[in-house]
Structures are given as C-alpha cells and as structure tokens.
Amino acid sequence: QVDDPEAALKELEAHLGFPLQGFVPYTRSVRPGMEIPKDRLQKYLEDVLGAHPPAPLELRQFDHGESTRSYLVKFGGRLLVLKKEEEPPSGPSGPSVPREYRVLKALAEAGVPVPPVLALCEDRSILGSPFLLLEHCAGRIHRAASLPAVPPHQRRACYGAMANVLARIHSLELGAAKLQDLGEHGNYIQQQVETWTEQYRAVETHVIPAMERLIQWLPLHFPESQKTTVVHGDFRMDHLVFHPDRPEVLAVLGWKFATLGDPLCDLANNCMSFFLPAPSGARRGLRECDFGHLGIPTAEEYSQMYCGHRGVEHPENWNFYLAFAFFRRAVMLQGRHRGSLAGEEPPGQLGPKDAELVADLAWDFAVKEGFRVFENLPPTKLLLRHSSTWAG
C-alpha cells in the first residue's frame, strides 16, 4: 500500500527503464546497435500522420520470435509498429519490407485479418533502410501451443479459429487479390528443397546423419500434384493476435516469407508443435501432452478441421509434408547454432542437439511416407523400383 500511487508508478517506471502505462507484452528496450534516430522518425510521423503530439515519441523493440527489426512506437495516443529492413536483406527474394507492404495491403482488401497498414517509406535518409509502418493490433498472442492462459473449454475453438483463418488465406482467388505474380506457379517444393539444402550446407558445423538421408530422400518423393495458393511461410499459433475474451483471430502477423506455393507446406509447418517435445529449444511442443485433458485437438483432428474449412480431402502423402517441414526447421536451428558459435546469436540458447532432434523427427515422417508408398505400389512395380528410393 502506498500514499501516492502516481508517484510510486513513476518510481517503478524509472527503476525498470520503461513506461508501465500502455505496456505491450513481448517488448524490451532497444538492443545496442539497433537504435534508430528518434528525431528523424518523429518528423516523418508528424508529416505522414498529420499529428503533432506535445511529447516526444517512445520507442521499444519487440522480443517476440525472430522480430529483431520490429519496433513498438508510442506516438501521442497511438501505438504503432515499425518494421525495418535488414541490411543486407536476409530473405531469398531480396528486400522483404516493400514486399510485405504489398502483401498486407492486398490481404486486407481481400478480407484477411492483418494489422492495418499505414505507410511504406523507401527513403533511406530517414532511418538508413526502408521501413513499414503498421497500426498496433491489441489482443493476446499465445506463445505456448498448450494455451495455458485460455480456459480449457475455449482451447479447441482457438485451434478451430486458427485452422479457419489459414484456410481463408489459402482460398484467396489470386487474380482478385492481385497477388498472381507474388511468386512462381508450380515447382514450389522442388525449389524450396534446393534452397534449404543449399542453406544447410552453408551453416553445417558437423555431420547430422538424418539430414544426409533427408537430402537424398526428399527429391525422390516430391508430390505429383501440387496446388498453388498464397502461402504465409511461417504460419503458427504465436503469429496470431487473438481477441482478449473470445476465440477469434484479429490479425495474422509475420508475413516476411509470404509467396505463392503449396498450401500443405503451410499446414505442415503449423502442425509441427504437435510432435515436438516440451520444453524444446526447437519450439514449445505438445508431444507429451494429454490433448483430451487440455481440450486441444490432436494433429489429425486439427488438419481435418483445416481440410473441412477448405472443402478438400486430407492428403495421402501428408507425411512427406511433415518430413519437409521438420527438415526446414532443422536447417533454421542449425543456422542459429552456427550463429551462436560465431557470436551472432546469444550463446547457450541453442546447441547442436536441437537441430539433430528435429532432423530425427523429419526422418521418422520420411520413413512413414516410404512405407505408405511401398504398400500402395502394385506388385509389378515393386520389382522396378530402385532400392535407394526406400525410406528406411
């Protein structure tokens, strides 16, 4: 109990080094070396938004996922999100900020829940690199797939809302959304496997046997038929903003890797948490959980939810997509491990065993897919199939 609550609040804010009023979770003080010139940003915001608040802007940095170049800006009474281009651009498609701006504008017009887009600035004299300005979308972001902060009777509905919004993204008519040239049509998985294999070789620090087997196995088992839709590229629970009180997705975040591709890759990426252990350096998983007790659907039930929303059959070669999703994730983890060895990532957060664990999971699904293919082959074709194509 305090005599002067306002004074006590200010004292606590001074001690913590950031304001508590209007505090947004998963933010932190700006990391050293990632500061941006507040005076130039203040002038830009005044010009673009036509507002001149009396107090200077306040700046924090998001500490959520890998959003190291995303900032929270308090400008007068508004909360904004600023996404700054990495220099040099890290994505295979070049600069990601102008691309993300275009995607978000098109998705908003098509009715997909995304944060409201305010402006794109490509003038490097402002902050040194292009940046995107969004309205902050208030709500709840669930970092744990078990949804501990959600009442058990609402958890299944949260997963249903997630499946529904993913199906809506994949059901967009490309021409109507003006996104038909967002990427190439066809051969998405082939190109992805080549790209991630090259990336793995670039960050390899030691031999991971499962990765060597997968690099040989994946090109021999590409799906014969691939659909082409908008794909998010990193769709998962903690890239969604939920309504504070009900199972409704208010916004989908993290569109950096959006392109045209096979929608089942998005779904498989979304389902990885069902198979990962918890806790795990790879990602918080659900493998040891009692789904019935938690009120959460199983991976099979969740993927069926998605297929029901899209009006499609569950894919026969589903294990291929899961194998590729875990292979891709293993490459990312290996890259972060290599970065920690080089001093580019905080030490001690990830070790070589994390990539190995995920690679082994990928190979488990490859083995399952191999047995499925084997069992479905007619007897005459069994004699013609080369033994090196078996999984296992």
Side-chain angles (χ1 to χ4, degrees):
Q1 205 171 30
V2 296
D3 296 328
D4 189 342
E6 187 174 343
L9 178 61
K10 288 182 178 180
E11 184 178 343
L12 181 57
E13 288 177 337
H15 176 72
L16 294 173
F18 58 85
L20 290 172
Q21 291 177 312
F23 174 72
V24 175
Y26 312 130
T27 63
R28 51 159 291 164
S29 57
V30 178
R31 295 174 178 85
M34 293 188 180
E35 299 88 352
I36 57 180
K38 292 184 181 181
D39 53 343
R40 278 183 270 170
L41 179 58
Q42 177 97 21
K43 177 68 166 59
Y44 173 82
L45 294 177
E46 289 174 354
D47 292 343
V48 169
L49 302 179
H52 297 79
L57 64 81
E58 296 172 14
L59 195 66
R60 289 182 61 76
Q61 195 168 11
F62 281 97
D63 191 21
H64 171 61
E66 297 162 9
S67 303
T68 56
R69 293 289 179 178
S70 294
Y71 302 82
L72 179 73
V73 183
K74 185 177 181 182
F75 182 68
R78 299 177 72 171
L79 284 177
L80 312 173
V81 175
L82 186 150
K83 303 191 74 173
K84 191 171 180 284
E85 187 71 69
E86 295 182 29
E87 293 288 347
S90 62
S93 303
S96 62
V97 162
R99 178 186 181 85
E100 188 168 353
Y101 173 79
R102 180 200 167 195
V103 169
L104 288 171
K105 290 280 284 185
L107 292 170
E109 292 173 4
V112 175
V114 293
V117 183
L118 299 176
L120 169 68
C121 178
E122 298 184 270
D123 182 353
R124 293 175 179 270
S125 69
I126 307 295
L127 300 183
S129 62
F131 62 91
L132 172 65
L133 198 64
L134 309 168
E135 198 82 54
H136 177 257
C137 187
R140 296 174 74 175
I141 296 176
H142 302 293
R143 302 188 80 168
S146 57
L147 304 180
V150 177
H153 69 276
Q154 285 190 0
R155 291 173 184 164
R156 188 178 185 89
C158 285
Y159 272 83
M162 179 166 66
N164 180 42
V165 77
L166 183 60
R168 286 167 60 189
I169 292 166
H170 294 162
S171 299
L172 286 176
E173 205 286 305
L174 297 178
K178 300 178 182 177
L179 291 172
Q180 65 270 30
D181 61 344
L182 185 62
E184 295 185 22
H185 291 246
N187 296 321
Y188 172 74
I189 294 178
Q190 291 91 322
Q191 293 169 2
Q192 286 283 296
V193 169
E194 290 175 7
T195 297
W196 287 103
T197 299
E198 290 175 5
Q199 180 67 18
Y200 175 68
R201 293 304 186 200
V203 298
E204 194 174 9
T205 56
H206 62 291
V207 175
I208 301 178
M211 292 299 279
E212 299 303 322
R213 293 194 295 269
L214 287 159
I215 287 169
Q216 295 296 318
W217 183 87
L218 287 166
L220 298 173
H221 293 81
F222 290 141
E224 293 181 6
S225 176
Q226 298 177 37
K227 301 293 184 183
T228 298
T229 71
V230 172
V231 292
H232 179 279
D234 195 17
F235 190 88
R236 59 188 201 234
M237 179 69 76
D238 59 348
H239 273 165
L240 305 180
V241 180
F242 278 86
H243 189 281
D245 303 315
R246 58 178 182 267
E248 175 188 347
V249 176
L250 301 179
V252 182
L253 311 177
W255 291 90
K256 177 180 177 178
F257 299 111
T259 186
L260 299 185
D262 189 326
L264 293 176
C265 289
D266 258 356
L267 180 61
N269 182 73
N270 189 200
C271 286
M272 283 195 294
S273 292
F274 289 101
F275 305 101
L276 287 168
S280 165
R283 190 183 290 179
R284 300 185 187 190
L286 297 167
R287 190 168 71 187
E288 289 88 10
C289 293
D290 182 334
F291 294 103
H293 176 73
L294 287 175
I296 287 174
T298 64
E300 175 72 16
E301 290 169 337
Y302 176 73
S303 57
Q304 290 288 1
M305 283 179 180
Y306 164 87
C307 291
H309 287 302
R310 283 204 70 205
V312 298
E313 295 292 327
H314 198 272
E316 286 188 351
N317 52 354
W318 178 229
N319 286 313
F320 170 88
Y321 288 95
L322 289 170
F324 174 60
F326 280 102
F327 171 77
R328 177 176 177 258
R329 184 65 183 166
V331 176
M332 293 181 180
L333 291 170
Q334 178 60 29
R336 291 173 64 185
H337 171 58
R338 173 70 176 266
S340 68
L341 294 178
E344 299 165 2
E345 293 269 353
Q349 292 190 4
L350 287 171
K353 296 297 183 184
D354 292 295
E356 293 171 15
L357 165 70
V358 175
D360 286 340
L361 285 171
W363 184 245
D364 288 344
F365 286 109
V367 170
K368 291 176 184 177
E369 177 64 11
F371 278 118
R372 184 195 68 80
V373 172
F374 180 84
E375 291 169 355
N376 290 343
L377 280 175
T380 54
K381 289 194 175 181
L382 288 175
L383 299 175
L384 300 175
R385 192 172 175 87
H386 194 277
S387 62
S388 66
T389 64
W390 303 135

